[in-house]
Amino acid sequence: NPGIPVVEMDTVHGTRSGKVLLTFFFRKCSLMLAFIINSCTQLYVKKIVDELYEVLGDEVFKRSFPVILTDNGSEFKNPEALEYDANGNQRTKVFYCDPMASYQKPHIEKNHEYIRYILPKGKSFNKLTQEQITLAINHINSTARASLNGHTPFKLAQMLMDNLLLEKLLLKQIPADEVHLKPALLKK
């Protein structure tokens, strides 16, 4: 069904072991979310989806995440745990890209480049907090894009998505002249 909004889901690794970012990309507005998780496992992915469901509530979650598209990584191999809440009620539908076909979720792969401006490849995520990740995501979502006709993902999300999602996840617009996409953003 081409009218149903798709959210792409993936992970971004720092060093070989340690904390990982779980990312979500809303195709209809290019908004990205990222959450720090202790390891790249089904347990931690489920924990974030459960927390999002609890924070957003049933209606907002279902409207925001009707379909999740991800790859065949082992951390995503339990679709029922993500699709259903603790009471067995369906909250989303999870679909997988074909094996070796990351081009089927190109938007999130491309958007990860913005994360790498702030967190270069090979940098450990172990000392990062969720507050720092949210700050980085706010800067990324406040970056105007030619592909969005000069608008920011945040601005489009305000128009196209439930604003409760933005509010409850502490997402906010950073003024254009204050957007910073370099590692210094997260230096204390």
Side-chain angles (χ1 to χ4, degrees):
N1 188 338
I4 294 179
V6 174
V7 179
E8 297 177 13
M9 179 172 64
D10 203 358
T11 52
V12 177
H13 296 259
T15 54
R16 287 195 142 221
S17 61
K19 293 184 178 182
V20 175
L21 296 181
L22 176 62
T23 59
F24 297 91
F25 182 86
F26 297 86
R27 284 184 177 176
K28 67 180 176 182
C29 62
S30 297
L31 187 82
M32 185 166 59
L33 305 177
F35 301 94
I36 192 92
I37 56 177
N38 287 335
S39 65
C40 194
T41 63
Q42 293 174 13
L43 176 71
Y44 283 106
V45 171
K46 179 185 179 332
K47 182 176 183 280
I48 293 298
V49 172
D50 288 345
E51 287 173 6
L52 283 169
Y53 186 68
E54 184 177 323
V55 167
L56 297 176
D58 181 69
E59 287 183 35
V60 174
F61 184 90
K62 285 180 177 179
R63 274 196 309 272
S64 302
F65 295 88
V67 169
I68 297 174
L69 176 65
T70 192
D71 58 38
N72 290 293
S74 61
E75 69 272 30
F76 305 126
K77 287 291 189 179
N78 187 358
E80 292 82 16
L82 305 178
E83 290 181 332
Y84 295 92
D85 68 14
N87 298 319
N89 301 310
Q90 188 161 28
R91 57 187 174 189
T92 188
K93 292 185 181 200
V94 175
F95 292 92
Y96 295 97
C97 297
D98 293 321
M100 306 301 290
S102 61
Y103 61 85
Q104 292 175 343
K105 57 178 185 64
H107 307 95
I108 199 165
E109 300 290 347
K110 176 71 175 156
N111 221 54
H112 284 168
E113 290 179 13
Y114 288 101
I115 291 173
R116 292 302 186 190
Y117 295 154
I118 300 167
L119 298 167
K121 218 171 200 159
K123 178 180 173 30
S124 173
F125 298 164
N126 289 342
K127 293 185 179 178
L128 295 174
T129 64
Q130 184 57 49
E131 291 76 22
Q132 289 173 303
I133 298 305
T134 300
L135 174 65
I137 289 301
N138 282 333
H139 281 258
I140 290 167
N141 287 328
S142 297
T143 302
R145 318 273 169 88
S147 63
L148 301 176
N149 201 26
H151 294 287
T152 68
F154 186 85
K155 188 66 170 171
L156 290 179
Q158 284 181 307
M159 294 186 297
L160 300 173
M161 295 185 67
D162 193 317
N163 282 293
L164 282 175
L165 179 135
L166 303 173
E167 180 185 316
K168 290 184 176 202
L169 298 180
L170 306 176
L171 300 177
K172 62 182 185 175
Q173 179 82 31
I174 305 296
D177 60 347
E178 294 177 26
V179 171
H180 192 74
L181 297 178
K182 297 195 184 282
L185 176 66
L186 301 183
K187 302 282 187 220
K188 290 185 178 181

